[in-house]
Amino acid sequence: MSAALYTYTGVWINWSEGAIRGATLTLSQKNSGVLSAFLAMLVSLAGSLFWGILGFALHQLGTTEPTRRRDALHYQRQVILRNKGAAAAAWALITLPFDSGRTASKLRAVGRSLPVAILPILVLILFGVSGLFTSYITKTAGQSTLIIGPGCGGYEFNATDVTVANTKSLQDTYDAATYVRRCYHEDASQLDCSTYVRPSIPFTTNPNASCPYSHDLCAYNGQSALQMDTGLLDSHEDFGINAPPSNRIKYRRVTTCAPIKHGSGLGVVQNDSTWGQVVYIHAGGQYYQGQEYLNFTFSYTPIPSVDGVGYTLSAVFAKSDPSGLLNGLESWKPAAAINRSDSDITMMMLNQNNINYLRPSYDPWMTALEQQNYTVDGTNYTSSTWTKSYEVNLLVCTDQYQICNPNRPGEAGCTKLGGILSTSLSSFNVDPTKFLGFNVHQIATIGRFLSGNNDRSMFSNVNGRGGAALNGECSCFLF
């Protein structure tokens, strides 16, 4: 199979247009040209046959008993109706009253011939316009097509080979970052960003959201977090999973981030015989196969300015596990002041190192207020830059998910906002008192969403990319 995306050809239903109007036949460019030509010929043939039937019917209506004699105009009109095509019949009927040698009065002859001439003219107009509109038959309902990739469905890997999974997750993140830079702005190219039903996923931001962890640790105050909320998105309308309304789901993701204030007590400076001063962040230990192997979350050795190192970014991740299914499998156990039972948690440590700024930075996570003045000997030239205010900057983000069944009203068909694991368990719960009524098609869609989002957390967005995950990486310089 080809390694590239391609368009499905064949019969399918575009459920955006309904079962009738959405019935679609997708053909290749070559075959669609053949179909267009065939339809034009078919309409022309249908018009000819229709006039043949109509002309015969009119001829029969004008037929009289042999003993009842009629004038020459009547018999010539009968001959025209029985033997001529629509165009020829129209012209012959129009000119019939004006033929030389006509014995009846001209005015009366026109009244008997022209009304009949209108019928073949209408047939010509009707089928002529129909021929023009045959091109619309070859257009897809809703201007949409089905896109098929080289590997539809999920993926599997050897559970013991973590490197394979991490490599795929990292590559997916790079691909997503490239797409965001290309398509998440107002003047995005339609050519580059038309693969999906929506070029970008809508979401709202709230810069004054409640702090997602203990308010005592939150910078500024308890209402200074940044929250990004997609709202309920439709699997068909927003994600392009073609399905009738009864087989769709609603999906929501809420991410809330807030920097930890400096002086929170999580950081400790210790002297090391090899590395000198080392900053340790104590926000929960790190584990491997159920055993703690580090009793701290992050460590950082201040880098001398002469080394010219840019941003460094590290992250740890913990899934919400109210059911206890992950006991012994955690890689990080957040401290109580940070831990949440209703969301997955990512904690990041940012180090600005030798980054210099042309202006002071009041960003709560990238504060740079230390002014450095520069002069050039023998000249009056002076310049100023600003450097980091702190060696270590901490940020905590929470990810929450929600799945809803649109076939049920309001919150009755929705899971509670929670981490990826609790949302999965709630969606697939078969307990009659908690069952949300998803059918087999909806369950398959939920599986695709939640398995994919397993590696779409804030942790996956930055893990492995380091400072390259920052937008600020593109607009700074080193000294």
Side-chain angles (χ1 to χ4, degrees), residues 216-228:
D216 295 337
L217 297 179
C218 202
Y220 298 124
N221 56 63
Q223 297 296 130
S224 58
L226 173 66
Q227 186 173 85
M228 296 162 283

Side-chain angles (χ1 to χ4, degrees), residues 137-313:
I137 297 177
T138 60
K139 291 186 177 180
T140 306
Q143 303 299 309
S144 300
T145 56
L146 289 182
I147 301 297
I148 298 180
C152 293
Y155 64 92
E156 295 181 355
F157 61 92
N158 190 334
T160 60
D161 192 353
V162 180
T163 304
V164 174
N166 290 340
T167 300
K168 183 187 185 306
S169 178
L170 182 59
Q171 184 58 50
D172 288 346
T173 303
Y174 277 121
D175 292 342
T178 301
Y179 183 86
V180 167
R181 286 194 296 270
R182 191 170 64 236
C183 301
Y184 271 66
H185 52 84
E186 293 182 357
D187 56 345
S189 168
Q190 289 295 323
L191 183 63
D192 291 337
C193 307
S194 60
T195 300
Y196 305 108
V197 66
R198 285 189 183 275
S200 59
I201 297 298
F203 64 94
T204 59
T205 58
N206 177 12
N208 302 113
S210 178
C211 188
Y213 48 87
S214 175
H215 290 194
D216 295 337
L217 297 179
C218 202
Y220 298 124
N221 56 63
Q223 297 296 130
S224 58
L226 173 66
Q227 186 173 85
M228 296 162 283
D229 189 345
T230 65
L232 289 175
L233 301 175
D234 189 275
S235 60
H236 175 93
E237 300 292 343
D238 297 299
F239 292 98
I241 300 178
N242 189 49
S246 61
N247 293 341
R248 302 175 190 177
I249 67 167
K250 299 287 186 179
Y251 167 82
R252 179 187 180 193
R253 177 174 170 181
V254 180
T255 296
T256 308
C257 296
I260 292 179
K261 68 181 180 182
H262 296 281
S264 62
L266 296 180
V268 176
V269 179
Q270 296 181 2
N271 289 317
D272 185 273
S273 58
T274 302
W275 304 105
Q277 284 192 336
V278 179
V279 180
Y280 291 96
I281 303 299
H282 294 281
Q286 298 191 52
Y287 290 76
Y288 179 71
Q289 294 184 350
Q291 299 296 319
E292 184 181 57
Y293 70 96
L294 292 176
N295 62 357
F296 55 86
T297 311
F298 300 110
S299 64
Y300 171 71
T301 303
I303 297 174
S305 59
V306 295
D307 287 357
V309 177
Y311 289 115
T312 54
L313 182 64

Side-chain angles (χ1 to χ4, degrees), residues 10 16 29 54 90 100 131 160 223 226 312 420:
S16 295
Q29 186 174 6
L54 181 60
S100 59
T160 60
Q223 297 296 130
L226 173 66
T312 54
I420 193 76

